[in-house]
Amino acid sequence: MLDATAGSPWFQVQRVTETLARIDEPNVHELLRANIWHLRGRDHDLVVDAGLGVASLREHLPGLFENSPVLVLTHRHLDHVGSAHEFSDRRMHAATEVDGRTPASLRGPELASLLGLAWLDAPPLLIDRAPSELFEVDSYAILPAPATDVLADGDVIDLGDRQLRVVHLPGHTPGCICLFEEQSGALFSGDVIYDGVLLDELPESDTAAYLDSMLRLRSMPVKIVYPGHGDPFDGDRLRELVDAHLRLRSGDGS
């Protein structure tokens, strides 16, 4: 039985810059421990992705909702859309549907089956404690959160004092997008790129499209990457990761 009282608060908040914070869920297995990015703007705040949805963002982090936040979903996987229903302004690509049918489970073997992952040593549970005494593992599901605005390549998210451009980079999923701030060179990359094993062979993935996305990404003047999983890294590391994946897919693993 999961303990609902031990440990720290469910969400961990780390200040990255004066205007940017990283939020994650330390009691979640690393596969699903995704980053939520909170960027403060003059007229609106930007929230990139919405976590697993095991615990309420609005209840635990009410400050996230104070400045008319714009939620942008980078793609449709459960660890990025879980609390999307809590936001009134939800923006995503047309292929990112959060319609109540998102494959979701907190049981490792079941989730592996739902996602088509060859995860032979999947743990029985993907969280190590419950967020509350009333929480039931098998009641977990992604609630519907339809787009209030559909995003396409080249669209701009305007926060008043800063603007971020939508970059559609399919492959991991059909609807994967990144957000790029030209002025700072900052890229919010979702699962298009992070410093780890990149997944482009899921049932909904498109390896050829992913390679095209990698080539486009490599050509962008990125200075810093804020990924969907793991720590930020610079543009040089981004290009190293892209090159390594291109070599892998070309059959040259050297």
Side-chain angles (χ1 to χ4, degrees):
M1 183 175 180
L2 288 171
D3 191 335
T5 59
S8 58
W10 186 262
F11 294 102
Q12 174 177 262
V13 181
Q14 176 188 3
R15 181 64 53 190
V16 178
T17 70
E18 184 178 346
T19 57
L20 180 65
R22 168 185 170 184
I23 302 163
D24 69 0
E25 301 171 89
N27 296 106
V28 173
H29 186 278
E30 61 180 354
L31 179 76
L32 299 181
R33 184 177 174 179
N35 294 324
I36 301 167
W37 297 101
H38 178 205
L39 180 65
R40 296 195 177 276
R42 186 190 66 205
D43 299 340
H44 304 277
D45 287 359
L46 170 67
V47 178
V48 182
D49 287 337
L52 193 58
V54 169
S56 167
L57 279 171
R58 189 176 288 273
E59 176 184 342
H60 289 262
L61 299 173
L64 207 60
F65 296 84
E66 290 177 351
N67 190 30
S68 304
V70 174
L71 173 68
V72 173
L73 299 179
T74 61
H75 63 297
R76 67 185 295 269
H77 286 155
L78 72 161
D79 48 331
H80 298 265
V81 305
S83 287
H85 64 280
E86 298 188 66
F87 293 81
S88 58
D89 188 338
R90 301 182 296 268
R91 308 186 192 185
M92 62 198 82
H93 189 270
T96 297
E97 297 179 352
V98 188
D99 56 5
R101 295 179 294 177
T102 303
S105 175
L106 297 176
R107 298 191 181 276
E110 181 178 8
L111 183 64
S113 177
L114 288 171
L115 297 181
L117 290 172
W119 194 9
L120 299 180
D121 58 347
L125 287 177
L126 298 171
I127 57 175
D128 59 24
R129 72 178 178 93
S132 72
E133 294 180 356
L134 299 177
F135 182 78
E136 296 182 6
V137 168
D138 291 323
S139 295
Y140 171 74
I142 302 298
L143 297 179
T148 59
D149 193 2
V150 174
L151 297 175
D153 191 75
D155 286 350
V156 173
I157 307 296
D158 188 353
L159 305 182
D161 56 346
R162 57 201 311 171
Q163 294 77 38
L164 298 97
R165 177 168 52 89
V166 174
V167 187
H168 181 215
L169 295 170
H172 177 70
T173 72
C176 274
I177 58 173
C178 297
L179 296 179
F180 183 57
E181 187 177 43
E182 305 274 358
Q183 184 175 5
S184 66
L187 181 80
F188 294 90
S189 67
D191 281 6
V192 173
I193 190 81
Y194 50 86
D195 201 342
V197 178
L198 302 177
L199 300 176
D200 63 354
E201 294 182 311
L202 300 173
E204 62 180 323
S205 300
D206 183 328
T207 301
Y210 194 74
L211 295 179
D212 288 341
S213 292
M214 290 288 100
L215 291 171
R216 183 180 180 193
L217 189 57
R218 198 190 192 291
S219 71
M220 294 172 58
V222 175
K223 296 180 180 178
I224 182 73
V225 180
Y226 299 114
H229 296 270
D231 295 331
F233 50 90
D234 64 19
D236 289 339
R237 181 57 179 159
L238 178 147
R239 287 175 277 278
E240 289 175 359
L241 292 166
V242 167
D243 289 346
H245 193 73
L246 292 173
R247 288 194 301 271
L248 176 68
R249 288 292 174 251
S250 71
D252 179 8
S254 61

